[in-house]
């Protein structure tokens, strides 16, 4: 009997101990969940941005789009936090923000051939590696180029079909005598639009009624946009149906209708004054024509280089943009010197990234220190929403008064240096925004593939 009582007592002791372990486990798990929720729901302590020279600041670098999910569901936030990873939830990519713009070539003077060896043809303007064998053209075969994009693609017609090739892989050749007879205008699609560049002096337009300008030729695009007022002057660079590609304050936008040639508008509104906020030289000047021509696109597949241009704000504020000016050229040269010394391929100037950098530089003075540190935009979106296809890394800083000074500051900061020395990047754009009312210079570098 005693033996049985002893066994029963032992069993109860084990049962009580087991229950205590379970209760303690549940309690510990509850504390862990509360702690994790508090940690994930609380803003982290601000990161102190590394300081450059006196009165200058380096903004903490945004390394790359690649470090963040681009589609809803790519990353499980709970799993990421459990693994100690940072999680940034992004808005799913909008198909209307991914339109590729081609600037058409002059008919009869637009034949090319492979620069060297066989030329790979792509069904879409995307460099996606697949196991499928792509068609190719043998060296020496000529073809018609319908247009060039800012992102390094040429749209071609061969054998009655439209293909896409990398513009860096082709060179110009003589067109056949019947080139104009063979030509068929390319058709627009949801993802690809062909714009005809404006030539001559017909680039001055006026807004006929209040409307909106978009970052893509689609009213459903969610990227950067702005409102235009009736009577405002705009510079039209290219046209596609009822869509106008305009240049405005060193950036490119697209307007659906509601524009009228300047001379026609003046005849119809002789007593009205034209509002000029474009940021470019006065109407009819060679500088304004150059701006339209540059934004319209140079239909050549050679590498882009920085032109010596300078954009001033004519609104009277005294603030100025400096994009592909001597500052931009010097930053490109300094970057390529550093890359070449490290055995890396040099970067090529991209006017698309220049426009992106100009927009970002103009935004920096009006954002809080925390917003700039997080590379946010005025609407709270991420830096690369200016052009999600072209922008893959960004360096920003303010206060430095020369290209050499800001470049040295970036190179002395590990995160910024990683962007400059990334072996995968191929394109580059930069801009400076100087506020005359203060002492700050705002610098931006953009990098792409």
């Amino acid at each position: 009997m005693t033996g049985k009582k002893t066994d029963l007592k032992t069993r109860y002791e084990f049962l009580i101990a087991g229950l205590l372990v379970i209760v303690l486990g549940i309690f510990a798990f509850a504390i862990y969940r509360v702690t994790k929720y508090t940690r994930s729901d609380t803003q982290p302590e601000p990161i102190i941005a590394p300081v450059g020279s006196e009165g200058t600041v380096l903004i903490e670098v945004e390394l790359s789009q690649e470090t963040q999910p681009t589609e809803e569901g790519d990353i499980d936030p709970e799993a990421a936090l459990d693994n100690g990873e940072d999680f940034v939830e992004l808005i799913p990519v909008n198909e209307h923000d991914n339109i590729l713009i081609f600037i058409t070539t002059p008919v009869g003077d637009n034949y090319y051939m492979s620069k060297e060896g066989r030329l790979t043809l792509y069904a879409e303007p995307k460099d996606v590696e697949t196991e499928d064998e792509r068609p190719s053209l043998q060296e020496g075969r000529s073809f018609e180029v319908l247009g060039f994009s800012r992102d390094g693609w040429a749209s071609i017609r061969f054998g009655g079909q439209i293909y896409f090739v990398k513009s860096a892989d082709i060179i110009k050749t003589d067109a056949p005598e019947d080139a104009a007879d063979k030509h068929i205008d390319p058709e627009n699609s949801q993802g690809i639009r062909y714009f005809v560049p404006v030539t001559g002096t017909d680039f001055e337009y006026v807004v006929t009624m209040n409307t909106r300008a978009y970052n893509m030729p689609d009213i459903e695009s969610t990227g950067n946009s702005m409102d235009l007022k009736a009577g405002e002057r705009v510079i039209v660079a290219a046209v596609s149906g009822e869509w106008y590609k305009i240049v405005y304050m060193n950036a490119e936008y697209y307007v659906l209708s509601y524009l009228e040639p300047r001379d026609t508008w003046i005849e119809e509104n002789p007593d009205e004054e034209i509002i000029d906020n474009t940021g470019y030289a006065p109407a009819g000047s060679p500088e304004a024509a150059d701006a339209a021509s540059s934004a319209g696109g140079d239909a050549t597949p050679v590498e882009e280089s920085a032109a010596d241009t300078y954009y001033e704000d004519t609104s009277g504020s005294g603030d100025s943009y400096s994009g592909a000016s001597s500052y931009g050229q010097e930053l490109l040269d300094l970057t390529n010197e550093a890359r070449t010394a490290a055995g890396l391929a040099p970067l090529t100037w991209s006017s698309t990234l220049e426009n992106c950098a100009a927009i970002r530089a103009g935004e920096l003075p009006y954002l809080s220190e925390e917003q700039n540190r997080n590379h946010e935009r005025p609407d709270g979106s991420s830096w690369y929403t200016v052009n999600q296809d072209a922008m893959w890394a960004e360096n920003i800083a303010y206060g430095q008064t020369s290209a050499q000074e800001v470049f040295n500051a970036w190179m002395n900061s590990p995160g910024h240096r990683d962007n400059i020395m990334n072996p995968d990047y191929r394109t580059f754009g930069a801009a400076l925004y100087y506020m005359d009312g203060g002492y700050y210079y705002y610098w931006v570098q953009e990098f792409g593939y």
Side-chain angles (χ1 to χ4, degrees), residues 68-390:
Q68 305 174 54
T70 57
E71 294 285 352
E72 189 174 18
D74 282 355
I75 282 184
D76 179 7
E78 296 294 332
L81 289 172
D82 288 342
N83 295 329
E85 301 172 0
D86 291 331
F87 171 73
V88 180
E89 185 174 5
L90 300 181
I91 299 174
V93 175
N94 186 328
E95 64 174 343
H96 301 278
D97 296 333
N98 292 327
I99 299 172
L100 193 60
I101 308 300
F102 280 87
I103 302 299
T104 60
T105 51
V107 177
D109 188 29
N110 58 340
Y111 272 72
Y112 290 75
M113 65 180 185
S114 172
K115 183 181 295 184
E116 183 178 359
R118 298 184 70 87
L119 181 66
T120 301
L121 304 180
Y122 296 80
E124 298 180 20
K126 297 179 180 178
D127 187 12
V128 179
E129 294 297 334
T130 66
E131 296 180 357
D132 298 334
E133 183 177 354
R134 297 192 184 98
S136 61
L137 294 180
Q138 65 185 72
E139 188 173 10
R141 295 293 299 272
S142 64
F143 47 84
E144 182 186 22
V145 170
L146 302 174
F148 289 97
S149 77
R150 294 285 193 179
D151 300 316
W153 290 97
S155 173
I156 76 168
R157 188 187 302 278
F158 185 81
Q161 300 291 323
I162 292 180
Y163 297 98
F164 300 91
V165 300
K166 296 181 179 179
S167 56
D169 295 337
I170 62 177
I171 57 174
K172 198 167 186 180
T173 188
D174 294 332
E177 294 182 359
D178 59 349
D181 297 331
K182 291 181 178 180
H183 175 77
I184 301 176
D185 290 334
E187 296 182 0
N188 293 324
S189 67
Q190 175 59 44
I192 297 174
R193 306 289 172 85
Y194 292 90
F195 276 77
V196 179
V198 171
T199 58
T201 59
D202 299 328
F203 55 86
E204 303 279 353
Y205 280 71
V206 178
V207 181
T208 59
M209 63 180 295
N210 293 351
T211 187
R212 175 160 293 183
Y214 303 88
N215 75 318
M216 286 289 172
D218 194 312
I219 60 173
E220 295 186 40
S221 62
T222 60
N224 190 52
S225 63
M226 68 172 182
D227 292 324
L228 294 174
K229 296 180 180 180
E232 278 197 270
R233 169 201 181 218
V234 295
I235 296 175
V236 174
V239 180
S240 177
E242 294 185 337
W243 280 98
Y244 296 87
K245 178 181 181 181
I246 70 169
V247 285
Y248 193 96
M249 288 305 294
N250 199 29
E252 298 175 4
Y253 295 93
Y254 297 87
V255 182
L256 181 61
S257 302
Y258 304 128
L259 298 184
E260 195 170 65
R262 179 174 177 272
D263 292 342
T264 303
W265 189 89
I266 291 176
E267 289 179 5
E268 298 174 351
N269 304 274
D271 299 326
E272 298 292 332
E273 183 178 354
I274 295 177
I275 306 168
D276 191 355
N277 293 320
T278 61
Y280 291 98
S285 67
E287 292 80 7
D290 289 343
S293 176
S294 175
D298 182 13
T300 57
V302 298
E303 296 178 346
E304 298 173 354
S305 60
D308 187 16
T309 55
Y310 189 78
Y311 308 102
E312 292 189 357
D313 181 357
T314 57
S315 63
S317 67
D319 301 343
S320 299
Y321 288 95
S322 177
S325 66
S326 58
Y327 290 109
Q329 181 65 67
E330 188 175 354
L331 280 175
L332 179 63
D333 291 342
L334 291 168
T335 297
N336 284 338
E337 286 175 9
R339 290 175 65 89
T340 302
L344 302 175
L347 303 177
T348 58
W349 185 269
S350 165
S351 57
T352 297
L353 289 180
E354 174 197 347
N355 288 331
C356 295
I359 292 173
R360 291 287 294 126
E363 293 174 346
L364 300 185
Y366 308 103
L367 298 172
S368 67
E369 183 178 348
E370 182 178 359
Q371 285 176 308
N372 279 330
R373 185 178 295 117
N374 294 331
H375 289 248
E376 293 181 7
R377 304 191 62 208
D379 62 359
S381 61
S382 295
W383 53 278
Y384 56 81
T385 57
V386 177
N387 188 327
Q388 298 188 69
D389 292 332

Side-chain angles (χ1 to χ4, degrees), residues 58-59 360 364 372 375 394-398 410 416 443-444:
L58 283 177
I59 307 300
R360 291 287 294 126
L364 300 185
N372 279 330
H375 289 248
E394 174 180 88
N395 285 344
I396 59 180
Y398 60 85
W410 278 329
H416 298 84
W443 303 84
V444 177

Side-chain angles (χ1 to χ4, degrees), residues 5-20:
K5 286 183 177 180
T6 303
D7 291 341
L8 185 59
K9 180 180 179 181
T10 302
R11 291 178 183 176
Y12 277 118
E13 288 175 348
F14 275 112
L15 180 60
I16 293 172
L19 290 173
L20 286 174

